[in-house]
Amino acid sequence: MFSLVFVTPIFPQAFKYPCAMANKEVLAVDLGQSGTRFKQGDLLITSDRGKVAGENPLPALRAVFETSQKFSADVVALSCTGFYGVVSEPQQYLALCRQFFGATQVAVIDDGLAGYIGALNGRDGVALSVGGGVVAIGGRQGQYSHRDGLGNTFGDEGSGFWLGKLAITKALAIRQGRGDDTDMVDYFADEIAAYFALEIRNSVDAVNLATRTARKVLDAADAGVSTATAIVDEGAFLLAQTAVAAWYGCGGTRADSPEIVIQGGPVRNGSYSTKIALEINAKLPNAVIAQSAGDNLDGATWIAQNLLDDAPPLMLWAR
């Protein structure tokens, strides 16, 4: 619920001194708002169950593990949304992973850090991760910053949830005569019907409806629906603000040439990612928009295999 700057130079040391776990097979878990993924070796498993609104990561993981494929692993790396930049009580996560996987070691990781490591392998720059929520991690010469990741009530601007919520809000308003873009009402007719079918209209089901709608908002903008285009343009502006703030937060300046990775489900839409990149370059003209070297699962695996010590507040071990 706040932004962080921390100055522990963890990654350069980790690159110099890879730990003894480098050859151990890790079970990596990426808990997101729209689902959960598991990776162990070459095996990749996905679950539609993620962390729902108002739920903490620990009970969310338990619910996922109870319905997912069974694994066995000594070392587990947990990349989780919902920590808001501060990981705590890792022993509870070890107890959970011991119960389900027989684990003896667990790395508990804020998903922003996992995304940063996966995307840039610890190089200076920013990883902007956009899914149901949003988080940006900036890193420069051993100084790191965390931006947004504030949750969908007061943050996550430009995220999948944000896009879907705003689109359904606008479509409902226009349907009531509070606007004149009838194309918006026609395009989102199914979502309007789904809203009225909700038993409780501010429930977890409502949040999930908004998050599922994100891709359709981007498609509507690509199709020329003016209200959807305005929403997408605003989202791109806000996401660029988040990425730039992450760079400034770790000591970067406008004159620098940071690598910036834009990653996650909503930004697989080419128009959205291009708009975000243009907004970033308007503020950081020398920034290089880079391709991600990997995702949260890759980052979590690397952390578990190479980073022996805690990296508070974004990563803690339990053994």
Side-chain angles (χ1 to χ4, degrees):
M1 294 181 288
F2 47 88
S3 296
L4 307 170
V5 176
F6 53 101
V7 296
T8 307
I10 52 175
F11 301 120
Q13 180 180 6
F15 272 95
K16 290 180 182 177
Y17 305 107
C19 75
M21 286 191 291
N23 294 322
K24 283 196 173 185
E25 190 167 71
V26 173
L27 171 61
V29 181
D30 179 31
L31 174 71
Q33 294 184 27
S34 56
T36 304
R37 298 180 301 148
F38 299 79
K39 185 176 182 182
Q40 188 174 47
D42 294 329
L43 179 64
L44 177 65
I45 301 295
T46 62
S47 168
D48 291 336
R49 175 60 156 95
K51 190 190 84 67
V52 300
E55 189 176 37
N56 290 324
L58 187 66
L61 286 170
R62 176 174 291 279
V64 172
F65 294 166
E66 286 174 344
T67 59
S68 67
Q69 177 172 325
K70 303 308 177 187
F71 293 89
S72 177
D74 183 52
V75 182
V76 178
L78 302 173
S79 165
C80 301
T81 187
F83 286 130
Y84 308 111
V86 181
V87 172
S88 63
E89 301 180 327
Q91 291 296 332
Q92 294 188 36
Y93 293 86
L94 175 59
L96 182 69
C97 291
R98 182 186 296 122
Q99 175 186 347
F100 283 93
F101 312 126
T104 63
Q105 302 176 80
V106 172
V108 188
I109 311 161
D110 181 89
D111 62 339
L113 178 62
Y116 175 87
I117 292 294
L120 288 168
N121 289 330
R123 299 190 305 274
D124 287 355
V126 175
L128 175 66
S129 299
V130 186
V134 172
V135 66
I137 298 291
R140 180 180 178 275
Q141 299 178 8
Q143 184 171 329
Y144 298 88
S145 66
H146 176 280
R147 292 294 183 268
D148 209 333
L150 299 173
N152 60 37
T153 300
F154 298 112
D156 291 345
E157 293 181 313
S159 68
F161 169 81
W162 184 94
L163 290 168
K165 175 186 179 296
L166 202 53
I168 294 171
T169 298
K170 295 294 187 183
L172 288 167
I174 293 165
R175 183 178 181 272
Q176 290 185 338
R178 294 183 287 127
D180 55 8
D181 185 0
T182 56
D183 288 344
M184 194 73 177
V185 176
D186 294 339
Y187 206 97
F188 291 93
D190 290 343
E191 287 68 34
I192 291 171
Y195 165 80
F196 283 110
L198 291 170
E199 184 175 351
I200 302 174
R201 293 176 182 172
N202 60 354
S203 64
V204 169
D205 289 338
V207 172
N208 292 338
L209 171 60
T211 303
R212 290 196 307 270
T213 304
R215 181 180 297 180
K216 194 166 182 179
V217 182
L218 295 163
D219 291 343
D222 287 341
V225 178
S226 60
T227 300
T229 299
I231 291 169
V232 170
D233 287 349
E234 183 183 1
F237 174 82
L238 293 168
L239 288 169
Q241 292 278 81
T242 300
V244 172
W247 181 241
Y248 288 152
C250 64
T253 71
R254 177 181 169 83
D256 295 331
S257 303
E259 291 184 73
I260 298 184
V261 170
I262 305 168
Q263 62 184 358
V267 297
R268 294 190 186 108
N269 176 280
S271 297
Y272 201 32
S273 59
T274 298
K275 288 178 178 182
I276 298 164
L278 289 171
E279 292 283 1
I280 289 172
N281 281 135
K283 300 171 180 66
L284 294 174
N286 300 319
V288 177
I289 306 301
Q291 293 295 314
S292 177
D295 61 11
N296 287 27
L297 289 173
D298 299 312
T301 301
W302 190 95
I303 288 168
Q305 292 178 330
N306 292 279
L307 189 57
L308 273 171
D309 299 322
D310 292 345
L314 295 179
M315 193 280 287
L316 296 175
W317 277 100
R319 301 183 173 96

